[in-house]
Amino acid sequence: MTTTPLEPALFASLDPPRLAGSRCADCGTVTFPAATSCPRCTGQQVLAHVLPDRGTVWSWTVQRFCPKPPYLPPDGGFRPFAVGYVDLGEVLVEARLVAEPEQLSIGAPVRLVLEPAVGVDGAPAVGHAFAPVAEGA
Amino acid sequence: MRADDVAVVGGGLHAFGRHEGRTGLDMAEVAVRAALDDAGVRWADVDLAVGGSNVSGKPDSLVARLGLTGLPFTTVRNGCATGGVALATAVSALQSRRAELVVVLGFDAHERGAFAADPAAYGLGEWYASSGLMVTTQYFAMRTRRYQHEHGVSDLALARIASRAFRNGAAHPTAWRRTPWTEEEVLASAPVNDPLTTYMFCQPSQGAVALVLARGDRAADLCPRPVRLASVTQRTRRFGSFEVFSPGLAPDPWHSPSVDAAAAAFAEAGVAPADVQVAQVQDTDSGSELVHLAETGLCAHGAQEQLLADGATDVDGVLPVNTDGGCLANGEPVGASGLRQVHEVVRQLQGRAAGAQVPGGPRVGFTHVYGAPGISACAVLTADAP
Ligand SMILES: [Zn+2]
């Protein structure tokens, strides 16, 4: 699998995959993607912060129809995919979920993975996604 | 009615739906002329206008069609809150005595299908749209599922909301979708974004609405049953709200601007949510109405299940909601949608609803809109005893 990220600024590292957020030095609020000022206290002392790579499904749905452009469908065309918000404790992150609908429920444990994606230029890339993990794994 | 109250003294509406070959401005002209006729005044009598459209032309260019009288004309473009902000602008002009007779209008004529979104316009990277996350219906679905989980509301409740909307739409001459789908048919329609199905979503549509406003000291001369605009409020999101197009969210993100806008509207009007006898609540999808019923204070969180099962939100129930079929049956021409709500509530309080009339002479009405990027506008309307 290629390891060109769809958007480099979203990642603190690719191997192992970790997401890059930010943390307010004044009030501790964590944001994703990384922000340049704090949405809670408006402070501008904001530091880089690596997000946890495990969390639980906060909510989810299945994208059943092909979105309008600028969505880029994969080779072979659009296929329905799952999307959700993952609760990482300090922040919720929206991401595609690499799972069948039957595997998904609110509270299900998931971990960060890289998923093949179509780059904005059409070239192969990877994006952030979450996949189910067995309890205790 | 007190002299310094602001009242709706006339209303006009161009039917909602799809009208090929007709522009938003065409529809707005029809609505304004109908509103002027309803109030028994001429365009030349109007001394201030406020108009809104999100994507379908410049509202102030309507003066070329209605008459070049030189009146001040304010244009508003505030997404889903366009109608509410137009109303609030008109109310302050009347209260500050900068105008005596005001026309407020809103229109839009959208393309078919889901709204396409431009990530740059929302300050988001291209990756967000190209990877398939920038889809409004996903947001509504995830908000609905989480709400159902936290408050124990069933999919059947979602179907009841849609079915009631289509039932009300079927009885309304200017509604767009008038097939009274049953709850079973709503549940069996194709899933769009689980748990929401095709018939649980409204569609972009076309339409226009206009209202004529005057102060209380003049209202009785212009209209046999003027309706008081007791409050009009608008709010943006605060930290911790759950909004569309959010790659990340604060934990427990339920601080909605709808809560703030509704609470301010009730406080300003001196009316309690329990006093409301006819309501319009933003229903771009069944889940949105479900959430907004509680966020506005019209019911407790989780109480929707029983209210819907009991028929409480039907036209003859204790809390009639979206009596013209709401967005689900009318579609959503963004600039016109908020004023459609006000138009319908005015007609209900006047006892002359175009569709099903709430029985018993309702005297207190409420309207609510909510939209991207985290805005809400609400109004409380009251009528004196006949
Ligand atoms: Zn802060």
Side-chain angles (χ1 to χ4, degrees):
Chain A
M1 183 160 71
T2 174
T3 50
T4 306
L6 190 54
E7 171 54 67
L10 299 179
F11 293 93
S13 72
L14 288 169
D15 187 16
R18 297 298 292 265
L19 292 172
S22 57
R23 187 174 184 282
C24 175
D26 295 328
C27 78
T29 293
V30 173
T31 50
F32 174 81
T36 52
S37 67
C38 175
R40 168 174 255 156
C41 76
T42 74
Q44 292 186 290
Q45 282 266 76
V46 173
L47 309 169
H49 179 73
V50 179
L51 299 186
D53 62 351
R54 290 183 184 233
T56 56
V57 173
W58 187 81
S59 190
W60 61 278
T61 186
V62 178
Q63 181 59 33
R64 299 274 178 182
F65 63 93
C66 182
K68 285 185 176 180
Y71 169 67
L72 295 171
D75 287 345
F78 168 78
R79 289 186 53 237
F81 56 86
V83 176
Y85 278 96
V86 173
D87 189 344
L88 298 178
E90 53 195 24
V91 68
L92 307 186
V93 168
E94 187 182 14
R96 293 172 64 132
L97 301 173
V98 186
E100 295 302 319
E102 308 76 60
Q103 295 175 274
L104 292 169
S105 62
I106 288 175
V110 290
R111 67 185 168 87
L112 181 66
V113 296
L114 297 179
E115 190 193 26
V118 184
V120 174
D121 57 0
V126 292
H128 68 286
F130 286 84
V133 285
E135 207 85 49
Chain B
M1 191 81 55
R2 294 196 315 263
D4 59 352
D5 283 339
V6 170
V8 178
V9 297
L13 183 148
H14 183 288
F16 281 37
R18 302 220 68 86
H19 308 284
E20 300 304 333
R22 205 172 295 183
T23 68
L25 287 164
D26 291 342
M27 291 185 274
E29 180 184 354
V30 170
V32 172
R33 293 197 188 283
L36 294 171
D37 285 350
D38 191 42
V41 298
R42 299 168 306 142
W43 177 248
D45 302 324
V46 177
D47 52 17
L48 188 139
V50 187
S53 166
N54 225 38
V55 296
S56 304
K58 288 173 63 60
D60 54 349
S61 68
L62 276 170
V63 297
R65 303 173 181 226
L66 295 165
L68 301 173
T69 62
L71 89 174
F73 194 125
T74 301
T75 289
V76 171
R77 184 165 178 259
N78 242 143
C80 291
T82 295
V85 175
L87 262 188
T89 306
V91 167
S92 47
L94 285 160
Q95 284 172 338
S96 62
R97 299 190 172 263
R98 283 182 291 120
E100 299 289 323
L101 193 67
V102 177
V103 163
V104 181
L105 63 105
F107 60 92
D108 258 312
H110 298 293
E111 304 291 317
R112 282 171 198 283
F115 291 109
D118 171 16
Y122 285 86
L124 294 165
E126 193 77 13
W127 67 272
Y128 189 67
S130 71
S131 62
L133 297 184
M134 197 167 186
V135 180
T136 53
T137 54
Q138 283 174 13
Y139 160 74
F140 290 123
M142 289 191 282
R143 187 172 72 146
T144 300
R145 188 190 296 280
R146 183 70 197 188
Y147 189 89
Q148 290 179 282
H149 173 81
E150 290 190 12
H151 300 291
V153 183
S154 67
D155 290 350
L156 178 58
L158 297 172
R160 285 187 164 127
I161 286 171
S163 184
R164 184 246 297 134
F166 294 126
R167 211 157 53 236
N168 288 345
H172 203 283
T174 61
W176 174 28
R177 294 160 101 192
R178 283 190 241 166
T179 306
W181 303 110
T182 64
E183 289 148 16
E184 294 72 28
E185 287 168 318
V186 170
L187 284 171
S189 65
V192 174
N193 286 105
D194 321 35
L196 300 175
T197 66
T198 305
Y199 294 164
M200 293 181 190
F201 274 106
C202 92
Q203 301 281 332
S205 73
Q206 308 175 339
V209 182
L211 301 169
V212 182
L213 270 50
R215 268 197 308 277
D217 48 15
R218 233 190 122 188
D221 298 334
L222 293 165
C223 181
R225 302 255 2 232
V227 170
R228 181 186 299 104
L229 267 171
S231 64
V232 184
T233 59
Q234 189 228 348
R235 292 290 186 277
T236 58
R237 69 192 187 278
R238 289 202 263 168
F239 179 76
S241 70
F242 182 11
E243 305 298 344
V244 72
F245 303 153
S246 299
L249 288 169
D252 194 24
W254 285 114
H255 197 117
S256 168
S258 294
V259 174
D260 293 338
F266 285 119
E268 206 175 295
V271 165
D275 299 333
V276 171
Q277 294 163 310
V278 56
Q280 285 272 340
V281 174
Q282 180 94 340
D283 61 335
T284 44
D285 57 281
S286 290
S288 285
E289 183 186 305
L290 178 79
V291 174
H292 296 151
L293 281 170
E295 286 185 342
T296 56
L298 293 173
C299 74
H301 287 291
Q304 300 95 325
E305 185 82 37
Q306 196 60 45
L307 285 173
L308 290 159
D310 293 346
T313 63
D314 292 354
V315 169
D316 58 357
V318 295
L319 178 61
V321 173
N322 297 343
T323 48
D324 59 352
C327 292
L328 284 165
N330 286 278
E332 192 193 18
V334 171
S337 203
L339 294 178
R340 171 189 56 73
Q341 297 183 328
V342 174
H343 183 272
E344 170 66 11
V345 168
V346 165
R347 291 296 179 105
Q348 290 287 353
L349 298 183
Q350 291 175 328
R352 55 182 192 129
Q357 171 68 45
V358 172
R363 304 250 303 276
V364 178
F366 174 76
T367 68
H368 158 268
V369 294
Y370 164 82
I375 51 175
S376 177
C378 294
V380 173
L381 298 99
T382 60
D384 291 331

